[in-house]
Each structure stands twice: as C-alpha cells, then as structure tokens.
Amino acid sequence: MLPVGSPSGAEVVRYRLRVRGQVQGVGFRPFAYRLATELGLGGWVRNDGRGVDMEVQGSAPDLERLMRDLRLKAPPLARVEGIEVREMAPRPACPNFLIEKSRTGMVRTGVSPDAAVCAACLEELFDPADRRYRYPFINCTHCGPRYTIIGALPYDRPNTAMAGFGLCLLCRREYEEPLDRRFHAEPIACPACGPQLTLHDGEGRALAVPDVISAASAVIGAGQILAVKGLGGFHLVCDARQPASVARLRAAKNRNEKPFAIMAANEASISPWVRCDAGDRALLESVARPIVLLPKEPGGDDPFPGVAPDLAWLGVMLPYTPLHYLLFHEAAGRPSGTAWLRQPQDLVLVCTSGNPGGEPLVTDNDEAFRRLHGLADAYVVHDRDILVHCDDSVVRPERGAPVFIRRARGYAPAPIRLPAEGPSVLALGGAFKNTICLTRGDEAFVSQHLGDLGNAAACAAFEETVEHLLEVLGIRPERVAYDLHPEFHSSRFALAFANAHSLPAVAVQHHHAHVAAVMAEHGLRGPCLGLALDGVGLGTDGRPWGGELLQVEDGGFIRVGHLRPLALPGGDRSAREPWRMAASALHALGRAGEIARRFPGDGAEVVTRMLERGINAPSTSSAGRLFDAAAGLLGVKDRASFEGQAAILLESLALRRGRVAPLAGGYLLEEGGILDLLPLLNHLADLGDPALGAALFHATLAQGLVEWAAQACARTGIGRVALGGGCFVNVILRTAVRKGLEEAGVEVFEARRLPPNDGGLSLGQASVTQATVL
C-alpha cells in the first residue's frame, strides 16, 4: 500500500524538517498544513522550543516544492531563517497531514514582535453584522499582541496573558480549525469570552457608562487628558488641535519643550502639514507602526500648536490597536465598513508615553491610577495583563531603510544575525537609551528600548527585562558584557550578575561598542575603521571621549584619532547648559574676556575662573559638546530642557536654511590624528545669522570628518568605515559624511537595524565579548 498522497509508481521519501526563525504565533503551522494537504503529503507539524518541527512524506518533487513554498510564501509576520532537512525511512502507511500539540524543550526559536491590527480584522471590527463589531481586542494569526503578552515559550495560550480567559464555543471552533484565520491565534477573543474595557475617573474609580469608547471620546473632546492602556503600556492622550490641552499635558509630564508625537487615522489626515512620500507612507502603514519623523510643510505647526515647537519635523504614527481605531471611528460618527479609513479625519491626537518624566512605562491598572494620578483626567483600562513594557519605536525614513532613534514595539526582540557563532553573552548596555542583548550561537536578541537608568524605578524595570528575556529565550549566558564606566547601574549589575553566576565579565569601551554594533549587524569581520560621534563615553585613559576615529579588529581597537578636546566647565552640567561649551570654545580661542559679556550673570564669572584655573573643567573630545558649543555661540540655545535639544535645534535651523558650502579653512588636521574645529567655532562666534551658522557648522564638520577618515583609510589601507554614535541620528551629518566618503572610494556602513545611539551599545558589547579571548 502506497503512503497517502504518493502517485502510483513515484518514489516515496520522508523528511524531518526543522524550520528556524520567527515562526511561532504567526500562523506558520496552518500555513504548512495547507501547503502539505494541497500537495497530498502525509505527516505532521508542531511547535516546540526550537521553532517548528515537521515530518512530511510523499514524492520527492512534492517535498521539494513544499520546502520552497515554506520559504517563499510564508505568512506576513513570519521570517524563515533556515530549514534543516534530515531524510528518514518512509513509513509503509502514512495518515493525512496533522497539526500536533506543541512540545516544550530547550528554547531555540525567537519571539515575535507585536503587530498592528490587520485589514481583515478591521473589516470585521467595523461590520455591524459581525460578532466582533467594535470589539477592542480583535486579532488573528496575522496581527495583534505577541512579545508584550508572552510569559514563556513555546508561544501557546497557557504561556501568555490570555491564559485566564477561557474560549467560548465559537472562538474554540475558530482556534481549532486549521484553515481558519484564527487557528491557534493565542490572543483570540470575542465580547463573550475575552478582555473587557472599563472607564475610570481621575481618582481611579470605575465609572458605569453605557459605552466606554463613546465616554472616552467625550473626555478627549472636552480638552481633558486620557490615559489609555495599549499593547506595551499606557499612553497619555489629548486632542492635538487644542493648545490648552497640549500645554496641560506638557506641564503635567514636566516635559517643557521636548516634542510630542501625534497619532492620525491615516496619512491623508496629516498630508497638508508634512511631506510624506511613498516610502514614508509604507513605513507609517507597516505592521510595526513606528513613530515616523516627517518633515513639516510650511505652516505645519499651525494646526498643532505646542506639539513640536521649533523643529523641522513632526513625529507621526497611525493607529495600531483596535482600541486606537475605535477612538477615531467614534469621532467619525461610527460609519460602517472601512472606506472612511481612506478619507481625511479631523481628529488628531497627541499620543505620548504614559509615565511620569524619566520613569519607566506604566503597564498595570492599579499602578496607572497611582503613578499617573494628577496627569490623567480619566483612564481607559482593561483586564488583559501587559507582561512586557514596550514603548513606541521612533524612526527617521531614509534611502530604503529607516534609521532608528528608538527600537521597541513592532521590532524588538527580533534577532540580528551575527557574522559567526560564539559563546552566549549577556550584554547590559549603557546608562542612557539602554537596551540589553542576549546572544545564542550566531543570533543576537536586543531588547526593546528601556530608557535612561536614572532612577530606582528605571533600574528595577531594567533588571526585570533581563530576567524576562533570559526566561523567555531560555539562554544561559557564558559571559557578561558591560560599559567601561564603573558608575553606570548597568555596569554594577553586570558585575554582580557575573559574580553570582561565576561568569567572566568583560568591560567594553563605549565607542568601541558603537562601531562594533554597526559591524555586527552588517556581518563585518576583519579590520574596519569607525567614526564614533556622540555625547560622552568613558575612554580607556579615564577621560570623557565622544569624537573618535578607531581601528577595530578581532575584539580590540586602536584609537587612531579624535576631535580636539574642549574643557567641560562644571563637568556634566555643560551637557545641560550649552552656553558653558560656548564659553569653553571662547577660552580655547583666547577670547575668554568675551564670556561675561555674551553670557551675563554670576555663572559666567565662575565658569571663566574654572577655565582659567583648570578647576572642575575636564577636557573632552565629545562631538555632542561641539554641537552645544556651536549652538551657544550662535545664540540658538543657552540652556537645554532635554538631552540633545541644542543639537536638534541646530539641525532644524540648518534644514530650513538649506545647503551651503563648507567654511574655507574651517578645520585643521593636526599630528596625532586630531581634527580641530576651532577655526569654525571662531567664525560662528562673530556670525549674526543663526540659520546660516547652523548650516555652515554642519557642512564644515562633515567635510572635516570625511577628509579625516579618508586620510586614515589611505594610511592604513582599510577601505571601509562604520558610522556609529548618537550624532549620526542627524540626517544632515549622516548624509554628507556617507556621500563624501563614498565619493572618496570608501565603503560606508551605518546602523540600520538598531539605533546609532546608545540603543545599539549592547549589541556592540556582545559582539566584542564573543570575540574576546579570555
């Protein structure tokens, strides 16, 4: 008797297939089931701790077609990284193809990021005849929460935040039907059996309202601030067109001038005020639904006063949960169908992280009532737990791939393939824009953005993330990596963890990690030059670095150059008060007598004495402080209300001014690999046009960096340069340096899958530590 599906006379073969990658919780098993049954193959498929496991039997051509289609026709959220094949002896009789129950075991698979609600679910959400009409937790295997509800792998309902919600008969039928869109969609739910919304007042008291969405919409319309429980945490929401509401939210969060992002129903709703091309639109509408920084059109601030003052761009995102869509649906008058989603909508929301300034994202209902008290006038909450806090991702669109400013929801913790296998490493990142990284073989799993570790709550959230990722991925690290700075919480935690588990710990210099992160994501091995430009990082000489030209190879580096150091009068205070860096530049130029006149007040006299006597004024090669000096000299910003504000304002001015030629003689290349920008700063000090000065600063700095790096390439024979560090978030600098180096025949590599800022440090630390010989 021939096995099922084998044509008479055809040779029968049986394969054991192991599918690796992002293949759990994305509809991969029903997809494999459909392919196998269409080909008449026998066998089975199941999830386990390593991915998707299959045995298939039939004719050799049919099995080859199955393996091809598994790769090429995978579901939208799936990512097949490899298929291991082992031939087995055919069985004399093979049943029809089955989907078997998942097995546990050593975890070798990845964790799927959260995904925006899909078009099919939106059709049901706005169909009055559908049983899930206006149900805020609608989802299927192609969309919905993943990472934020996972407690353990394999990704099955009992291991998620949905474990406590029993399925009704109709949901159970969908869940168990292999050809249904909701087959083993672990968050599957409906109004009869799933999570429910409730509305609470500003004191956290539950309110009896006939319709939560309608009541929440009224709160927003009345100019109040609404706290909304989302996928990875709470948002604070208000009407972006009501300046008094925006001002209240800004004051409540103590956010001063830091920009907010907005949420609009669709691209058409914001197109009059921002430039958005086809690539930008694809990014906005992607399943990740990041905040996308879009250039403002003239008058772009007019409809949204106070949202993003004095900046050249506006952060925009589209709805990504059914709850978000329902708020816009309510404002639109509850139209049937989805045609309204393609039409401009009046409602535009300020949508910002639900947390007091500097603290981690709020995820729990009772925690929200406590920590957001006084910030929110009302709360929309639900009874599905958030197991992992995960903020919105922020990107700048560019040339086929976005540049991350913050990598979190929608992307984390999708793995990054490393150039080679190595020991498992737990890398703990830095103190700002923190992420952690876990490696397994040739995979690196970088966590969501965790933020600045500047208070006890943030440090506790950091430690919880370490514990959760270790548990979910089932990785037992063999080494620990951390930043060279001994006072960072991440460094202290790393040493304590290594000691508790008897593991070797490796300190990685900050800028080495920046360059190594870019090299790791591009699979680069062997020598590479790196430009690392950022605010500050402790150097191997104990001084604060930040404008570095490095030669990186085999887990080590050589510092081949740096920016000319400037003094930091008042130490770290200089990063918050750009006028101090302007004073430092004036002192270095022999113009210290101008400091008190330019920056009147008691502080100027004290700073002048610090600089003259060298007291509490350590020197730094920081590129970030160079930006501050330029901003201070041009009168752009004396005191910053948030990190990097002076540099951001300088970039915005330069974008509005447009391209200018670099300043002739604006920099010097000195012995010892030093790039000196003092001639440029001297010129800016006497320039009365801030916009022209900002454009001139960018153009001259970029030209200097290009010549500096190109000379190093010629000298060393290394023809490639990696660009790392937070200054390369700057679109003008990044574009000009890349273009200049490429025109000089240099191969350029940039951060694409992780931010160039400190959000990528943990990957670089892990890569260096894997290559370190202990």
Side-chain angles (χ1 to χ4, degrees), residues 627-663:
F627 273 83
D628 289 342
L633 290 170
L634 290 167
V636 172
K637 196 68 180 174
D638 285 348
R639 288 173 172 79
S641 65
F642 60 91
E643 183 196 3
Q645 184 183 17
I648 292 170
L649 293 174
L650 206 64
E651 181 186 8
S652 290
L653 280 172
L655 285 169
R656 288 174 173 146
R657 175 60 172 78
R659 295 179 61 183
V660 300
L663 176 68

Side-chain angles (χ1 to χ4, degrees), residues 100-131:
E100 292 194 346
K101 186 177 180 181
S102 298
R103 290 189 175 184
T104 56
M106 183 180 66
V107 176
R108 292 289 298 175
T109 190
V111 178
S112 301
D114 299 304
V117 59
C118 69
C121 283
L122 288 176
E123 291 284 350
E124 296 174 344
L125 185 66
F126 301 122
D127 179 1
D130 193 275
R131 72 188 187 94

Side-chain angles (χ1 to χ4, degrees), residues 5-7 39-41 58-67:
S6 300
L39 292 169
L41 302 175
S59 70
D62 285 341
L63 264 63
E64 291 299 323
R65 180 179 171 186
L66 172 76
M67 289 188 291

Side-chain angles (χ1 to χ4, degrees), residues 23-34 44-47 52 75 97-102 121 124 131-132 139-143 146 155-157 167 170-189:
V23 290
Q24 291 192 10
V26 293
F28 199 88
R29 286 180 299 166
F31 160 69
Y33 173 89
R34 179 176 58 78
W44 48 262
V45 61
R46 67 185 174 216
N47 281 343
V52 167
F97 199 82
L98 303 173
I99 297 179
E100 292 194 346
K101 186 177 180 181
S102 298
C121 283
E124 296 174 344
R131 72 188 187 94
R132 292 188 175 91
N139 67 87
C140 69
T141 54
H142 304 312
C143 68
R146 297 292 192 279
Y155 177 61
D156 287 333
R157 194 177 179 94
L167 294 176
L170 292 177
C171 285
R172 172 66 64 184
R173 188 179 303 158
E174 293 170 325
Y175 184 81
E176 294 178 348
E177 170 50 55
L179 297 181
D180 193 281
R181 194 173 92 250
R182 293 189 170 90
F183 175 75
H184 278 255
E186 306 307 342
I188 184 175

Side-chain angles (χ1 to χ4, degrees), residues 404-422:
F404 282 98
I405 295 173
R406 185 168 74 198
R407 178 182 179 268
R409 180 191 49 75
Y411 298 97
I416 294 170
R417 185 69 62 184
L418 298 172
E421 292 198 5

